[in-house]
Amino acid sequence: MPDIEGYKVTPLRLTADRPLELCPQIFMREHFIRLEDASKPKGRTLFLLNVPPYVSEQSLGRFFRKSVDVLNKVSFAERPGRNESEKWQKYIIPFSSSAVPFKFKVAYVVFQKSTGVQRSLQLSSIDLFNSDGDCVLESGMQLWHSQYEERILDETEAQARIDKYMEAYDKREKKALEAAKNSEADADGWVTVGKQGRNAGFEQKESVVGRLEEKIVRGKKKKELDNFYTFQIRESKMKNIVELRKKFEEDKQKIEALKKTRRFRPF
């Protein structure tokens, strides 16, 4: 395969009988950036572009370890750039069904020696199949079935997580109960409530209780005053309507009287 803009184009073979021209194309080159990155050392890191979503870190690592040289690690990223491998890991949420997005990605292969990069760039293909010629990766219906099975939560694991959470919850409740029993009451019998925990209380002092009682009284008075004004407004509206109706009847009578007294005067 001819190189493209500094990249070595290498076919990715999943089975031994698949023609190279029908295989996905991987673009490889030595990784280098302006800023040094300890996780991707210069001269020992191979950069792979256009990696299919079903390719795993384990399968790539197994191939390069067997065909090229001893390597340190293989990591994926959503796109090229500094610290993209760390950003990629944010997609994985522990104890949930969330997983890395199923799309094409980039890969970084870190070797223990600089000769590993040069040997990788001389490969004619990346073969991800076993000695029998069968693919070592899951794809198609087999991959969908495995992904579906992984989303089903194991009952034993779920019960263990529930038991662990309830054990911690019981300890917190027991500790809070003991703290409440050990608290001392003042001369009036009030118990000072601590301000720890999610539902923190307030200190039930005499001044605080007095302010609350005053607030309740003011609220009642305001409600009564609002009701009084509402009644006044309603009564005023009713009187206004009665006056308008009375005036309307008087106007009608005046109009009828004018009609009766009207005379025909041609001159």
Side-chain angles (χ1 to χ4, degrees):
M1 293 290 177
D3 295 347
I4 299 178
E5 296 183 0
Y7 286 90
K8 170 67 181 302
V9 181
T10 307
L12 177 68
R13 294 203 303 169
L14 302 180
T15 56
D17 57 348
R18 191 173 184 84
L20 295 178
E21 57 271 14
L22 299 180
C23 295
Q25 306 299 319
I26 301 294
F27 304 93
M28 302 190 305
R29 66 170 172 80
E30 180 181 348
H31 176 65
F32 58 87
I33 55 176
R34 297 178 182 177
L35 300 176
E36 293 293 334
D37 189 351
S39 62
K40 305 177 185 65
K42 183 178 180 180
R44 295 192 291 116
T45 304
L46 180 69
F47 175 69
L48 283 73
L49 188 64
N50 198 43
V51 180
Y54 47 80
V55 175
S56 63
E57 297 176 355
Q58 293 77 12
S59 59
L60 276 182
R62 189 187 309 110
F63 168 76
F64 282 104
R65 190 177 295 107
K66 178 181 178 181
S67 305
V68 181
D69 202 348
V70 180
L71 54 87
N72 290 340
K73 67 173 183 177
V74 176
S75 60
F76 289 150
E78 186 176 6
R79 64 181 66 89
R82 183 175 176 84
N83 297 330
E84 280 298 329
S85 298
E86 289 75 9
K87 295 178 183 179
W88 182 265
Q89 299 301 325
K90 292 182 180 180
Y91 286 104
I92 305 176
I93 303 176
F95 305 110
S96 72
S97 59
S98 300
V100 172
F102 193 76
K103 58 184 179 181
F104 281 79
K105 52 204 171 185
V106 300
Y108 299 92
V109 182
V110 182
F111 294 93
Q112 290 188 359
K113 299 179 181 179
S114 58
T115 55
V117 176
Q118 303 303 325
R119 293 177 182 175
S120 299
L121 295 176
Q122 297 175 1
L123 293 172
S124 59
S125 63
I126 298 177
D127 302 332
L128 299 184
F129 52 83
N130 53 25
S131 57
D132 297 330
D134 299 326
C135 180
V136 297
L137 293 174
E138 292 182 340
S139 60
M141 292 295 296
Q142 184 180 7
L143 178 60
W144 293 343
H145 182 268
S146 300
Q147 291 175 345
Y148 175 78
E149 292 290 337
E150 291 175 356
R151 293 180 181 178
I152 300 177
L153 190 62
D154 182 72
E155 294 184 3
T156 305
E157 181 185 357
Q159 188 62 47
R161 288 166 54 189
I162 294 173
D163 295 340
K164 184 178 180 180
Y165 176 82
M166 293 305 301
E167 182 180 356
Y169 174 80
D170 292 338
K171 288 182 180 179
R172 291 196 302 268
E173 290 296 312
K174 184 179 180 181
K175 185 177 179 180
L177 183 60
E178 292 177 353
K181 289 181 179 179
N182 297 331
S183 61
E184 297 181 358
D186 57 14
D188 297 329
W190 293 99
V191 178
T192 301
V193 180
K195 293 186 178 181
Q196 297 180 355
R198 181 174 58 183
N199 299 322
F202 58 88
E203 297 182 0
Q204 298 180 354
K205 296 182 180 180
E206 185 177 355
S207 59
V208 177
V209 175
R211 288 196 298 270
L212 290 175
E213 291 178 350
E214 292 178 1
K215 185 176 181 181
I216 294 173
V217 173
R218 288 197 303 269
K220 290 182 178 180
K221 289 182 177 179
K222 184 177 183 302
K223 186 176 181 181
E224 292 174 358
L225 191 61
D226 291 342
N227 291 338
F228 174 76
Y229 282 124
T230 303
F231 174 78
Q232 259 193 343
I233 294 171
R234 189 184 302 115
E235 186 178 4
S236 175
K237 287 182 177 180
M238 290 298 296
K239 289 181 179 180
N240 190 24
I241 291 173
V242 172
E243 292 292 336
L244 289 174
R245 287 179 177 175
K246 184 178 179 181
K247 187 178 179 182
F248 177 71
E249 292 296 332
E250 292 177 353
D251 291 341
K252 283 176 62 178
Q253 293 176 4
K254 289 181 181 179
I255 292 172
E256 290 296 330
L258 290 174
K259 287 182 179 179
K260 291 179 181 180
T261 58
R262 187 172 57 180
R263 295 288 186 271
F264 178 73
R265 298 176 181 177
F267 302 104

